[in-house]
Amino acid sequence: MAVVAKTATPWGPAELVEELMLAQRAGDKRFSSVVQLLEAPGGERLVRFAYATSGTARRGPVTLRRRDLERLRAGLAERPALAEALGGLGGGG
């Protein structure tokens, strides 16, 4: 049986459906931008952007450079539900 990851949102609990982590670096700092597709109990889908340091998600602004956006698009090609939730940003284009 698969373990379903649950998370809290301002609208209540949600399940993690898909997740994409983009490793980034600025000078000596290493972190990841995280894009998550969540599903609320009623079936509503939510997309959350965050950043992570040492594997721990943090709140705050997420900044992506052009090359990060290219990697985001490539990663979304392998996560169709998340790409669909973002309006079809995947597709390798």
Side-chain angles (χ1 to χ4, degrees):
M1 174 184 267
V3 175
V4 178
K6 298 215 181 233
T7 187
T9 75
W11 300 274
E15 293 181 357
L16 178 63
V17 177
E18 286 185 341
E19 177 177 73
L20 175 59
M21 294 189 76
L22 302 169
Q24 294 179 279
R25 183 170 61 179
D28 293 337
K29 297 178 186 175
R30 295 182 187 275
F31 55 97
S32 296
S33 289
V34 183
V35 183
Q36 297 175 322
L37 176 61
L38 308 174
E39 188 170 310
E44 181 179 14
R45 293 221 160 165
L46 310 167
V47 177
R48 174 165 52 194
F49 291 85
Y51 73 94
T53 57
S54 302
T56 302
R58 310 281 184 199
R59 293 185 177 151
V62 174
T63 305
L64 301 174
R65 297 166 294 179
R66 177 181 289 272
R67 66 178 170 235
D68 299 320
L69 291 170
E70 292 166 359
R71 290 177 37 232
L72 172 63
R73 185 172 280 118
L76 288 172
E78 299 173 7
R79 292 164 183 86
L82 187 53
E84 180 182 348
L86 287 168
L89 286 176

